[in-house]
Amino acid sequence: MQNFLDFEKPIAELAGKIEGLRHLSDSSSDVNIAEEVSKLEAKADKLLRQTYAKLSPWQKTLVARHPDRPHCKDYIEALIEDYTPLAGDRAFAEDFAILGGLGRFRGQSVVVIGQEKGADMHSRVKHNFGMARPEGYRKAQRLMDMAERFDLPVITLVDTAGAYPGVGAEERGQSEAIARSIEKCLAIKVPLVSAVIGEGGSGGAIALAAANTVLMLEHSIYSVISPEGCASILWRSGDQAKEAAEALKLTAQDLATLGVIDEIIAEPMGGAHRAKDVCMTALGDSIEKHLQELSQFGGAELRQKRRDKFLDMGQKGL
């Protein structure tokens, strides 16, 4: 059963009517309601296009968090052949919030690292809702070191509300692990392409996204803090999350204007969850294009371009 968001209620009502008519048609061979179904489908499609043509930042936040939206694991399965997962930070433990390993992306050997939220309650608990602990970021550093050692491009897939804020994570050096991961992203001498596929939250996201090229799906978000967190700090209440989303400039369109990201990947009408294969193919095409462009540069030049890119941020679109 398809999940609908609150602002999609009129679309959900039409979908319910269509399903009811189809069920009636199946149960009675004498009833031909194809024409009525066709009219309702056209109306639902028009309403969907009108709704998604004018989404507010808060509505985009809800789409980015949609439970049916494809996650890191889905993209790896669709885009990476011969994927071999690698586990552990070689210091403390394995962190299931961050997936990583070796594989082949359209014939090219790569290292892929990403944040996995999980698709159901069991997997969400296992992956800690995509919120990594220090060992997850140290695992990412280890994989980036390996990529540099074997001269392999790195692809990162960002989808997290933020790093895990638990006591144990803080005791084991959460902020230091994130800072070291950012430093590693900026230091490696191989191409690094990052894609925000859902929610890019705070340092937990930038720890994997300090890349040569940062891509962003059309209805994903990328921000220093979640709208709810921002509202709780500024207004002492999460009720102003919608206002916070407006002020944070967290949509792909805002961030492209500000020069924070390099390309927006168009999603199927109604969001990535409505045509997952189409969205995954589009992202794969963009990653392939940018990896080819980056392959012409040497290691030192790649690193310098990456550093210059982040030093120049804040000078555009203000």
Side-chain angles (χ1 to χ4, degrees):
M1 182 179 294
Q2 187 174 357
N3 292 302
F4 290 92
L5 300 170
D6 288 345
F7 68 86
E8 296 177 320
K9 187 176 180 181
I11 302 168
E13 291 174 351
L14 286 173
K17 291 179 181 179
I18 292 168
E19 190 62 31
L21 287 172
R22 282 177 175 161
H23 180 72
L24 180 63
S25 178
D26 292 339
S27 62
S28 176
S29 58
D30 297 331
V31 179
N32 186 355
I33 53 172
E35 185 177 348
E36 185 64 24
V37 168
S38 180
K39 288 181 180 178
L40 286 174
E41 286 179 335
K43 186 176 179 180
D45 182 69
K46 181 180 179 181
L47 185 57
L48 182 69
R49 292 180 181 278
Q50 290 175 341
T51 300
Y52 273 78
K54 53 181 181 181
L55 291 182
S56 69
W58 175 247
Q59 288 171 333
K60 282 184 175 286
T61 301
L62 297 178
V63 177
R65 297 171 175 173
H66 198 288
D68 297 333
R69 194 173 178 85
H71 295 135
C72 173
K73 186 178 179 181
D74 301 313
Y75 285 96
I76 290 175
E77 290 176 351
L79 298 176
I80 308 298
E81 297 178 348
D82 299 329
Y83 174 66
T84 302
L86 299 175
D89 65 345
R90 300 295 185 267
F92 183 77
E94 162 67 339
D95 187 340
F96 293 102
I98 289 187
L99 304 180
L102 292 161
R104 284 188 298 151
F105 171 70
R106 299 188 176 179
Q108 181 178 16
S109 295
V110 298
V111 169
V112 59
I113 307 168
Q115 290 145 332
E116 172 60 38
K117 284 185 172 181
D120 53 37
M121 186 50 65
H122 175 75
S123 62
R124 285 170 190 152
V125 171
K126 176 183 176 181
H127 295 288
N128 201 35
F129 298 85
M131 296 186 294
R133 298 174 172 86
E135 45 271 25
Y137 295 111
R138 290 175 180 136
K139 175 171 71 172
Q141 295 168 49
R142 182 173 74 84
L143 294 179
M144 284 187 271
D145 278 333
M146 184 183 69
E148 186 173 34
R149 188 177 305 123
F150 294 103
D151 196 26
L152 301 175
V154 178
I155 299 170
T156 64
L157 303 171
V158 176
D159 189 14
T160 182
Y164 184 60
V167 173
E170 296 296 338
E171 288 175 342
R172 294 193 300 278
Q174 182 71 289
S175 59
E176 183 269 348
I178 291 171
R180 293 289 184 186
S181 187
I182 296 171
E183 180 185 40
K184 185 63 64 178
C185 287
L186 293 172
I188 58 175
K189 295 181 178 181
V190 293
L192 174 54
V193 174
S194 180
V196 182
I197 59 175
E199 190 173 8
S202 192
I206 190 105
L208 298 185
N212 290 103
T213 303
V214 181
L215 312 174
M216 199 167 169
L217 293 186
E218 180 183 2
H219 300 309
S220 55
I221 60 171
Y222 189 22
S223 175
V224 69
I225 193 172
S226 69
E228 295 90 339
C230 178
S232 67
I233 293 172
L234 295 183
W235 292 285
R236 306 295 181 188
S237 169
D239 295 338
Q240 277 77 32
K242 293 181 181 179
E243 290 83 349
E246 293 277 353
L248 283 168
K249 302 296 182 185
L250 45 65
T251 69
Q253 294 73 23
D254 286 330
L255 294 167
T257 300
L258 293 169
V260 175
I261 65 168
D262 300 289
E263 184 180 339
I264 299 173
I265 312 299
E267 295 187 26
M269 182 53 58
H273 56 283
R274 282 188 162 86
K276 296 181 181 182
D277 291 344
V278 174
C279 187
M280 292 174 184
T281 300
L283 180 60
D285 291 342
S286 181
I287 292 174
E288 182 179 24
K289 178 187 72 174
H290 287 288
L291 283 179
Q292 288 176 351
E293 292 174 356
L294 293 171
S295 66
Q296 64 182 302
F297 301 110
E301 193 173 3
L302 283 168
R303 181 170 66 177
Q304 191 59 49
K305 283 181 173 291
R306 197 181 305 130
R307 292 183 175 190
D308 290 344
K309 168 191 174 70
F310 282 86
L311 287 171
D312 289 341
M313 284 184 185
Q315 301 183 36
K316 180 181 176 183
L318 298 177

